[in-house]
Amino acid sequence: MTTETVHEKRVLFPLRVSTMKHQHVLGEEETSQTSVSSSSSPPSPSHSFSPPCTSHFICKKEDIVKAGRITKLVNGCRDVLVLYHHGKLHAMDMRCYHAGGVLEHGDIEEFNGRLCIVCPWHKYKITVEEGEGLYQAVDNPTVKPLKTYWRSKGVKQRIHKVTEVNGDVYVTLNDSSEAIESDTYQTEKFRTEILRAQPKPKPRK
């Protein structure tokens, strides 16, 4: 998903003023206007903003710009991957919906103009904006040469909201009650099984 940067232009959500050291916003206020954009001017120094109460600090923006991607266990329950690509931040469940492949190591590619992360295990394509799984379909298999195109399977990967203000990056978890396939790999049982499956270090002689 795209980066949210706070600006004084158009109001979107309730604004809360704070004197915290790191100040951020998702807000709407009758007397102050802000907009979510990655290219507009930064907020005036006279305004103080705080992140949404449901958001979780991930890192400084400069760190993720340098690394390109960062993974973090958010709120003690969700393994999240945060990407920085071509000036935008995106967040999603860390493991691929198909078989739990670690998306942190996946390539970023475009398919039909849609930016996707490609799972390194089985090459599944996932749109970074919506979390849709893409597959290559064929118009008519009896006609040669085959004419293929990319088609959506629907939302398969849970996408989370990224907020960036004053150089800090926060994630608000997608708490939709609708089941999404990537949820399978976000359980404590799965994490325990993964740890058990990892080879144990050999004792030093």
Side-chain angles (χ1 to χ4, degrees):
M1 86 182 285
T2 57
T3 306
E4 291 195 39
T5 306
V6 177
H7 307 284
E8 291 188 359
K9 287 205 174 176
R10 191 163 60 89
V11 176
L12 294 183
F13 310 108
L15 177 68
R16 186 176 65 174
V17 179
S18 171
T19 56
M20 294 171 60
K21 180 179 179 181
H22 300 297
Q23 299 168 324
H24 308 268
V25 68
L26 280 179
E28 179 175 294
E29 182 180 59
E30 293 180 359
T31 58
S32 175
Q33 295 185 335
T34 62
S35 69
V36 178
S37 168
S38 58
S39 59
S40 302
S41 303
S44 168
S46 62
H47 287 74
S48 297
F49 303 111
S50 60
C53 60
T54 55
S55 67
H56 304 273
F57 177 75
I58 300 299
C59 62
K60 302 293 291 183
K61 184 179 179 181
E62 61 190 46
D63 294 333
I64 195 168
V65 169
K66 183 177 179 180
R69 51 193 74 184
I70 286 177
T71 61
K72 190 166 185 177
L73 180 63
V74 177
N75 200 30
C77 65
R78 201 99 196 167
D79 292 303
V80 172
L81 168 66
V82 183
L83 304 168
Y84 180 81
H85 185 77
H86 288 178
K88 293 185 177 181
L89 291 163
H90 309 270
M92 65 185 70
D93 281 354
M94 184 184 77
R95 293 187 176 275
C96 176
Y97 72 90
H98 170 237
V102 181
L103 295 178
E104 178 185 5
H105 306 301
D107 293 330
I108 303 292
E109 300 180 33
E110 272 194 15
F111 298 90
N112 264 11
R114 304 184 71 183
L115 196 65
C116 296
I117 188 164
V118 181
C119 179
W121 285 12
H122 306 106
K123 306 305 178 185
Y124 275 55
K125 284 78 173 168
I126 303 167
T127 63
V128 299
E129 295 281 354
E130 306 86 5
E132 293 181 16
L134 300 186
Y135 71 98
Q136 205 164 22
V138 177
D139 274 338
N140 188 340
T142 64
V143 176
K144 306 294 181 180
L146 295 177
K147 186 178 180 181
T148 63
Y149 60 97
W150 291 100
R151 187 173 178 180
S152 173
K153 306 177 192 177
V155 175
K156 301 291 184 178
Q157 197 79 14
R158 193 173 289 270
I159 299 296
H160 306 287
K161 188 176 187 178
V162 185
T163 305
E164 183 267 317
V165 183
N166 294 340
D168 289 336
V169 177
Y170 287 81
V171 162
T172 302
L173 294 177
N174 176 353
D175 60 358
S176 169
S177 59
E178 182 178 354
I180 298 176
E181 289 186 31
S182 65
D183 295 344
T184 302
Y185 305 101
Q186 292 291 338
T187 63
E188 192 58 40
K189 179 181 178 181
F190 177 78
R191 291 190 188 94
T192 302
E193 291 174 352
I194 286 293
L195 289 174
R196 287 176 179 172
Q198 290 179 350
K200 296 181 179 179
K202 295 180 179 180
R204 294 180 180 179
K205 294 182 179 179

